Amino acid sequence: MIEIIIIVLLIFMLIGSIICLETKDLLSSIISITSVGYFGSVIFLLIGAPDIAITQMVVEVLSLIILIRATIRMDLTTIEEDRDFFGLIGTLALIFVFFILGMEAIRYLPKFGTPSFTLNLQAPSNRYLMNGLKETGAVNIVTSIILDYRGYDTLGEATILFTSILGALAILRVYARKRKEK
Amino acid sequence: MIYYLCFVLFLIGLYGVTCKKNIVKIILGLCIMEYSVNLFLILLGYRKNGIPPIINKGMEINEFYNKAVDPLPQALVLTSIVIGLGILSLMVAIAIRLYQRYGTFDITEMKKLKG
């Protein structure tokens, strides 16, 4: 039952992403990519990942604001798409080869519904699930992983976020260039 | 079936990155690829009739162990989503700067970028 719901939502995501890439107006393409993200958030909620669903929701709203800031002042929102024919054919052939290889690779994955930590007893998820409450005191195992077992990852994540926002501010500022012109 | 649909979503993002001329469309294609990869990693950890990895009150630890979905991909994808927001803001900043420099979003018009 839940697989059918996931498949329907994934088909909606595919339709939304095709509309996003093929429409002429940039504002409507940004809104349709946000709808793709919200469908993804619903899927996360259905398959037992409420933390990811909440985070995805917040990130969607923030990225919608950022992308609208990028396009709202720009008067030229449509671009004539006359691509050279052979380049397009070559790229589509490359994507098709990639498609075939990916189809082969997916056949070797475990079936949907049996995660790999149940097949391999050495996997770290077993320990996190069995001893997570005893060792860290957190009821939510995801929280105990990101803040306790793998706290250095979270530190690195905060560093990357800080660095990227510093980079964006350094690119966008106009202050230094004015001083150089004097 | 679900994995295949996820992979097709990734390929649509790849098509957007490689075939589009508008730089905003390229950024959106990268966003679609990111969504599909995150979704694929979470779907790998799904267990049939599984519950979220949160221990309810009065639940036996063995019963929880036999029913919960995989918590490790969820923790790593949480990091990945937040990093995706940072990457997006950096790309949008570069796109705004290029628009101010060249007056267009079309990547074929940006002649001085050619090496």
Side-chain angles (χ1 to χ4, degrees):
Chain A
M1 182 59 200
I2 199 166
E3 295 181 17
I4 298 170
I5 300 175
I6 293 173
I7 287 174
V8 171
L9 285 172
L10 267 171
I11 289 172
F12 278 139
M13 283 177 87
L14 290 178
I15 294 171
S17 56
I18 290 173
I19 290 173
C20 161
L21 288 178
E22 288 303 328
T23 185
K24 293 288 180 195
D25 190 17
L26 277 187
L27 195 61
S28 49
S29 70
I30 287 168
I31 290 172
S32 47
I33 199 174
T34 312
S35 77
V36 174
Y38 284 141
F39 281 124
S41 171
V42 173
I43 294 179
F44 288 148
L45 198 59
L46 281 176
I47 59 177
D51 311 280
I52 313 287
I54 295 167
T55 315
Q56 176 89 7
M57 218 55 150
V58 175
V59 165
E60 266 331 294
V61 174
L62 284 176
S63 63
L64 180 68
I65 294 170
I66 292 172
L67 280 169
I68 283 183
R69 167 68 185 84
T71 55
I72 197 73
R73 291 277 178 80
M74 320 301 181
D75 45 342
L76 188 142
T77 49
T78 56
I79 283 181
E80 295 295 320
E81 299 261 344
D82 46 344
R83 296 168 292 222
D84 55 332
F85 185 67
F86 291 106
L88 183 65
I89 292 293
T91 318
L92 286 181
L94 193 68
I95 288 177
F96 185 70
V97 170
F98 198 59
F99 175 74
I100 299 290
L101 291 178
M103 289 291 156
E104 280 297 311
I106 286 175
R107 278 176 40 205
Y108 291 97
L109 288 176
K111 266 188 64 168
F112 181 70
T114 54
S116 58
F117 79 97
T118 55
L119 309 176
N120 180 11
L121 288 179
Q122 301 291 320
S125 295
N126 291 304
R127 172 170 169 175
Y128 296 153
L129 282 175
M130 281 301 278
N131 303 331
L133 180 60
K134 227 181 342 182
E135 287 180 355
T136 65
V139 180
N140 191 346
I141 305 295
V142 177
T143 317
S144 79
I145 292 174
I146 62 172
L147 292 181
D148 198 309
Y149 287 116
R150 293 176 181 240
Y152 279 121
D153 275 0
T154 311
L155 183 66
E157 170 208 342
T159 313
I160 290 173
L161 197 62
F162 182 68
T163 315
S164 69
I165 289 179
L166 268 187
L169 287 178
I171 289 170
L172 278 179
R173 69 176 181 176
V174 286
Y175 180 63
R177 179 175 296 171
K178 277 179 188 168
R179 195 195 285 162
K180 201 179 280 181
E181 283 171 359
K182 271 180 191 175
Chain B
M1 177 70 185
I2 293 176
Y3 292 154
Y4 291 113
L5 282 176
C6 233
F7 187 61
V8 171
L9 191 64
F10 181 84
L11 289 180
I12 288 175
L14 193 66
Y15 162 74
V17 171
T18 48
C19 289
K20 288 293 166 184
K21 275 185 173 179
N22 195 336
I23 201 165
V24 178
K25 291 278 176 69
I26 293 174
I27 293 174
L28 295 183
L30 275 172
C31 283
I32 292 172
M33 286 163 80
E34 185 201 324
Y35 289 150
S36 73
V37 171
N38 288 341
L39 191 61
F40 179 69
L41 288 177
I42 299 283
L43 284 170
L44 273 182
Y46 178 69
R47 176 182 272 179
K48 218 172 172 57
N49 300 319
I51 59 170
I54 299 171
I55 303 174
N56 289 325
K57 208 171 181 180
M59 182 178 268
E60 286 286 325
I61 193 78
N62 281 321
E63 182 197 354
F64 172 71
Y65 174 71
N66 286 324
K67 279 169 79 176
V69 301
D70 199 350
L72 188 57
Q74 297 193 15
L76 298 182
V77 165
L78 200 64
T79 312
S80 159
I81 287 176
V82 179
I83 289 176
L85 181 65
I87 293 172
L88 178 71
S89 65
L90 192 60
M91 285 191 298
V92 166
I94 293 174
I96 290 174
R97 202 39 130 179
L98 285 175
Y99 185 86
Q100 288 171 354
R101 183 97 165 76
Y102 294 96
T104 177
F105 277 136
D106 195 340
I107 54 169
T108 53
E109 297 290 321
M110 300 173 185
K111 305 284 190 200
K112 287 180 184 171
L113 279 182
K114 282 185 180 170

